[in-house]
Amino acid sequence: MDKLEAFRLFVQVVDAGSFTKGAQRSNLCKSALTQKIQRLEKALNVKLLHRNTRQIGLTPEGEELYKHVLPILAATQAIEDVLVASRSGPRGLLRVHLRANTAKLIILPRLAEFLDQNPGIQFELCCSDRQLDLVANGIDCALRGGPLRDDSMVAVRIGETKAIYCASPVYLDKHPPPRSINDLGRHAVVLYRETTDSKSKSIEDFLCGEAFAGNFRRPHFVDDVGVQIAAAKLHMGITYVVEDLVRDELASGSLVRVLPQHEGAAYPMHIVYPANRHLPQRVRVFIDWVRELFRERLAPASGKG
């Protein structure tokens, strides 16, 4: 038997959390994958996995094997990547996880450039506003904002951003710009509210912890950041949004800052990928491209305040 291939399949089953998902990732039928793992157990004369109808678990021997084969597989993949890249550049399927609005507003408008530069890469985008387990879902890397507390991830810092108040010049021509949080009572506002959030939660986020006496003149609620930005550009009121998502609007003047003294605290942004894994060349070049993209975007933005 090809033990190196069997080790790779074993790791995929463990990472996926089941034979069904491991088979999908390996392009094998479930029965064929199960037979290969059983042959590996027979060849090693140990039981590697506890199985039940819903999930699998590692035996102590399985844990030892998993720990020791990871660097072997990583080294093998690194050799293959160097040889392939030397002939034809980065190749293979690149799976990336992004928040939906980061994908729509930042990555997708420039993605064709990256793919033109790297014709051997096939791109798969996973969009979700919830954090995913990268290993279990077979994802190569993800963009995440805020403090990171996951030691199983390697984080590459790409800059920092913050939330700001902004509105269109047309709106501010009709309504005097607020000078304090309490002046918002004279204004229409555009508030982001996820489907599962309460109205009070979205208002609390909008106020960023500031005390506010009174009600807004006209509150508008949306559940999509892209729509939130579009509504502000269409003069519907003042909104509170992550600065990086409105860089282009601030630069063009279609949105301008208000209440700069009440902006949110800056927080870091990272590309993360699983530790103890070989970083394929296709992932490495994508990370470099994203760092450069954000270096350009995170340069000081213009905009009245």
Side-chain angles (χ1 to χ4, degrees):
M1 70 181 300
D2 183 343
K3 281 190 178 177
L4 192 61
E5 175 65 7
F7 289 156
R8 183 183 67 80
L9 294 173
F10 166 71
V11 167
Q12 286 186 338
V13 169
V14 174
D15 288 347
S18 72
F19 277 91
T20 300
K21 291 182 179 179
Q24 292 170 351
R25 199 172 296 178
S26 306
N27 293 320
L28 293 172
C29 65
K30 182 180 176 182
S31 59
L33 177 60
T34 301
Q35 289 175 3
K36 288 178 180 291
I37 298 301
Q38 288 173 342
R39 289 194 197 107
L40 177 62
E41 289 178 318
K42 185 175 181 179
L44 298 175
N45 197 29
V46 294
K47 186 176 179 63
L48 299 172
L49 299 168
H50 297 299
R51 304 166 175 83
N52 62 37
T53 55
R54 289 192 174 183
Q55 61 185 8
I56 55 95
L58 285 168
T59 65
E61 293 80 9
E63 290 179 359
E64 283 296 310
L65 179 63
Y66 183 82
K67 179 175 66 176
H68 284 94
V69 300
L70 282 180
I72 296 171
L73 294 174
T76 303
Q77 187 62 54
I79 294 169
E80 292 179 5
D81 284 348
V82 168
L83 294 175
V84 170
S86 66
R87 295 194 305 270
S88 55
R91 303 189 67 81
L93 177 63
L94 173 64
R95 302 189 76 229
V96 178
H97 175 246
L98 300 170
R99 291 178 68 94
N101 286 295
T102 301
K104 287 188 291 187
L105 300 174
I106 299 176
I107 300 298
L108 286 179
R110 299 282 299 274
L111 185 61
E113 300 172 19
F114 172 76
L115 296 177
D116 287 345
Q117 295 164 9
N118 299 279
I121 292 178
Q122 298 92 49
F123 193 81
E124 183 174 332
L125 183 57
C126 308
C127 287
S128 168
D129 286 346
R130 63 186 178 87
Q131 276 198 11
L132 298 180
D133 183 323
L134 302 193
V135 173
N137 288 279
I139 295 170
D140 292 304
C141 62
L143 178 62
R144 290 182 179 168
L148 297 174
R149 301 180 180 86
D150 189 346
D151 293 337
S152 69
M153 293 290 120
V154 175
V156 179
R157 187 183 177 100
I158 59 174
E160 62 180 29
T161 190
K162 59 185 175 182
I164 66 168
Y165 292 96
C166 57
S168 74
V170 171
Y171 175 84
L172 294 173
D173 283 343
K174 295 179 180 178
H175 308 278
R179 297 184 180 275
S180 73
I181 286 291
N182 283 322
D183 289 343
L184 290 172
R186 303 195 308 269
H187 286 273
V189 294
V190 183
L191 302 103
Y192 173 78
R193 179 171 65 178
E194 291 187 5
T195 307
T196 55
D197 282 351
S198 66
K199 179 178 177 180
S200 59
K201 174 68 166 60
S202 60
I203 292 174
E204 179 184 328
D205 290 342
F206 179 85
L207 295 173
C208 195
E210 298 280 355
F212 173 65
N215 298 308
F216 306 117
R217 181 175 65 83
R218 181 181 292 172
H220 306 292
F221 294 90
V222 299
D223 65 356
D224 180 274
V225 176
V227 174
Q228 177 190 4
I229 294 168
K233 290 170 64 177
L234 291 170
H235 330 307
M236 290 182 64
I238 295 171
T239 196
Y240 187 64
V241 66
V242 174
E243 180 184 20
D244 185 53
L245 296 178
V246 292
R247 283 274 159 176
D248 295 340
E249 288 77 9
L250 294 173
S252 69
S254 60
L255 290 177
V256 296
R257 275 181 158 90
V258 297
L259 296 174
Q261 71 275 27
H262 294 289
E263 292 175 354
Y267 63 87
M269 302 172 68
H270 298 88
I271 286 278
V272 301
Y273 60 89
N276 301 320
R277 293 291 195 280
H278 165 64
L279 188 63
Q281 185 69 12
R282 62 183 179 276
V283 183
R284 196 180 303 277
V285 297
F286 179 75
I287 290 174
D288 290 343
W289 178 77
V290 171
R291 291 177 73 180
E292 179 60 23
L293 176 61
F294 276 81
R295 186 190 67 78
E296 296 173 8
R297 291 189 61 87
L298 296 175
S302 61
K304 301 172 187 176

